[in-house]
Structure formats: structure tokens, C-alpha cells
Amino acid sequence: MPSLTMASVLGRPGVLRLQLRLRMLLSALKPGILVSQAGPTAAFGTSITSAKVAVNGVHLHYQQTGEGDHAVLLLPGMLGSGETDFGPQLKNLNKKLFTVVAWDPRGYGRSKPPDRDFPVDFFERDAKDAVDLMKALKFKKVSLLGWSDGGITALIAAAKYPSYIHKMVIWGANAYVTDEDSMIYEGIRDVSKWSERTRKPLEALYGYDYFARTCEKWVDGISQFKLLPDGNICRHLLPQVQCPTLIVHGEKDPLVPRFHADFIHEHVKGSRLHLMPEGKHNLHLRFADEFNKLAEDFLQ
């Protein structure tokens, strides 16, 4: 995947590291457990329901389960949906303690139309959509579980709507973009080079053309931030986060280096950093039981 130009810049060890990180990226994008629209779950016999609601001019799709007083919103990553990104959480988070909602951001999953686009404020737009969705569902206050792009959205939501956010857990997120990040993003631009195992579930969700086009648009969209001072996405907002925050980082995450988690931890006052030694980017899927217990203990 790396070009000769990159090889000349990085040297052979650098290219090998980048190749490894790109391979891990493609495995990390593999969707999690798929959840039926209204199937029974193991915990307390509650079901997962699926619906759409009009929010900010679009119809946002969400799934909901549980009957607890504590509302929790799950925020998916790039090209993700609640269904593909949070199977083990929808199934197994405590249904007596929590009401769990997993949403599809506009243009992702089943929140289409519209097609997904990436204006420079797309994370802020997602944050407003997410908060307004939960308000439309009549939740008075919510906690956030945000993965990857969803973690960035969660940080922005917590900073901009502090009175509405109770607690927050994020993992695989970054507050700015570096040169190293940009090279990784370019490595996934052409989905025809992805492995069939990784590509097929997203093709089934979106169709090949929409999937390929949206991935390219995402790379362009996330690359916009590299042109801003310090590659800024939301680093200026971190000091405004007031809610208790848990940052989880997989020590073997090939996509988001440790320094991103450290930076967020340093700049979100009172936050906790929890390291998972064997965790990669999709640690909540690979180590679902451990992650779910960690999140439940923090949210209580």
C-alpha cells in the first residue's frame, strides 16, 4: 500500500510499521455482532427495538434496549452504525440499570437519506444531531460511549452541551491529526484494496458504490483538519468538558497512537485513563465482557 515516495521518506522500517498499521486498520473495521431489529436478548429478556425520528431536517435511525433510568448513547466510528459497531453492548450492557440507545449518524447505516458528507464542521454537526436525538426521545440527561470518530463526537458534545451529559467513556479517539495519521488515512482510501473479509459486510450494508465513495469522502474530510493549526479537530474544546470521563486505550491499537489518549487525558480535567495491554482499535468487540464491565462500573 505505501508508495515509493513514502518509502523514501520513512525508510524501510517506517514502511513496515505503516504496512502493519494499515493491515490492523482493515481488521479493526470488521463489523461486530449484527443485531436483529427486535430480537430477544440474554439479559432480563428485553428486546432491541429499531426506529427512526426526525431530527434537524433528517430522519435518524436508532436502536434501543433496556429499561434503566440511566440513558446511555453509543456513538459509532467511521462508516459505522449502531448495528455493526455495538453488537455486544446492545446485547449485554445491564438492561436494569441502563436504557441503551445506539444511533446511526446522518448518512451512515440506516440514517439515509441524505448521503454522508464531510463539511469542516461535520463532527460538531454529529454532536448536535446526537444530543437532539436523545432530547427528541425525551431523555433528560445522557451518558456517552464513543468509539473512534464517535469518541470525537462525544468529546464535542460533552464540551458544548455540558448540562446534558452525565458521564462519558471514549476509546480510539483523537483531538488532532498528525502526519502519521494522514498516511494511515490515505492507506484506506481505495476500498478495492481492502481484504474481501473486511469489505463484504460494509458492501452489504451500503452497496459497493456508496461504500467506496463515502470512504474516499471520509479520507478527504478527516484530512481537512491537518490543514488547520496544530491539526486541530477539538483540542480547543477539551478544557470545557465537565463530566466524569473515562478514556480507554488499547496498547496495541495500530490506528491511534498512545499519545492521542495521553493528550485527551491531560486536557480533560479529572479524567481517568485505563490501558488495556492486549487491546487494539476494536477493543470493545474483541474484549467485550471486560469492556462492558469497565463501562458499567464507571457509569454507575
Side-chain angles (χ1 to χ4, degrees):
M1 287 189 193
S3 67
L4 292 176
T5 301
M6 291 168 63
S8 64
V9 171
L10 293 175
R12 186 62 182 169
V15 171
L16 292 174
R17 284 195 299 273
L18 183 59
Q19 287 175 325
L20 175 62
R21 289 170 72 86
L22 292 175
R23 283 197 298 271
M24 294 309 304
L25 171 59
L26 300 186
S27 66
L29 285 172
K30 181 183 178 184
I33 300 169
L34 293 179
V35 182
S36 63
Q37 287 199 39
T41 65
F44 308 111
T46 60
S47 63
I48 298 171
T49 59
S50 176
K52 283 188 173 185
V53 64
V55 176
N56 298 330
V58 297
H59 287 85
L60 295 176
H61 176 262
Y62 68 95
Q63 292 176 294
Q64 182 172 326
T65 187
E67 57 193 30
D69 293 333
H70 191 155
V72 177
L73 176 64
L74 310 179
L75 298 97
M78 167 264 228
L79 280 166
S81 67
E83 188 174 26
T84 57
D85 285 14
F86 292 114
Q89 286 68 50
L90 283 163
K91 182 178 181 182
N92 292 320
L93 285 175
N94 190 306
K95 305 298 196 304
K96 292 294 186 184
L97 293 175
F98 306 110
T99 296
V100 180
V101 176
W103 82 309
D104 300 354
R106 63 171 70 199
Y108 282 165
R110 283 182 267 175
S111 291
K112 294 170 57 235
D115 286 358
R116 181 71 177 181
D117 63 350
F118 300 92
V120 71
D121 65 343
F122 72 89
F123 283 119
E124 283 82 359
R125 183 183 64 186
D126 283 348
K128 179 171 172 52
D129 282 350
V131 167
D132 289 348
L133 167 66
M134 296 303 278
K135 289 181 177 178
L137 297 177
K138 307 303 183 186
F139 294 108
K140 302 297 184 185
K141 201 166 187 175
V142 304
S143 291
L144 305 176
L145 266 63
W147 176 34
S148 199
D149 272 14
I152 299 172
T153 301
L155 285 166
I156 293 170
K160 292 200 164 188
Y161 310 97
S163 65
Y164 193 66
I165 307 305
H166 181 45
K167 292 185 176 183
M168 174 169 59
V169 183
I170 61 168
W171 63 107
N174 50 300
Y176 57 95
V177 175
T178 68
D179 290 335
E180 183 179 3
D181 298 323
S182 294
M183 287 187 289
I184 294 170
Y185 303 150
E186 287 298 329
I188 65 166
R189 177 184 290 277
D190 183 356
V191 300
S192 70
K193 297 180 180 178
W194 294 21
S195 70
E196 183 177 0
R197 180 177 67 101
T198 304
R199 191 175 66 239
K200 286 297 183 184
L202 290 170
E203 282 186 40
L205 177 62
Y206 291 114
Y208 180 84
D209 289 344
Y210 186 84
F211 165 44
R213 185 170 70 252
T214 305
C215 183
E216 287 195 20
K217 287 161 64 176
W218 179 86
V219 173
D220 291 337
I222 198 75
S223 298
Q224 296 174 95
F225 299 105
K226 188 66 186 68
L227 304 176
L228 299 178
D230 299 317
N232 181 43
I233 300 174
C234 64
R235 55 193 293 159
H236 61 297
L237 294 175
L238 300 184
Q240 299 177 31
V241 175
Q242 299 177 20
C243 66
T245 300
L246 174 63
I247 303 148
V248 185
H249 181 71
E251 297 253 55
K252 295 185 178 179
D253 189 335
L255 314 177
V256 181
R258 167 74 181 271
F259 62 77
H260 281 304
D262 289 337
F263 184 88
I264 296 169
H265 177 44
E266 180 182 350
H267 290 86
V268 173
K269 185 177 180 180
S271 62
R272 287 173 44 193
L273 176 62
H274 179 89
L275 302 176
M276 294 179 64
E278 297 300 315
K280 298 178 183 177
H281 195 61
N282 60 344
L283 55 85
H284 67 298
L285 302 176
R286 176 65 179 84
F287 300 102
D289 291 344
E290 179 182 351
F291 175 85
N292 286 356
K293 184 180 187 308
L294 186 68
E296 287 179 348
D297 289 348
F298 179 76
L299 293 175
Q300 291 183 59

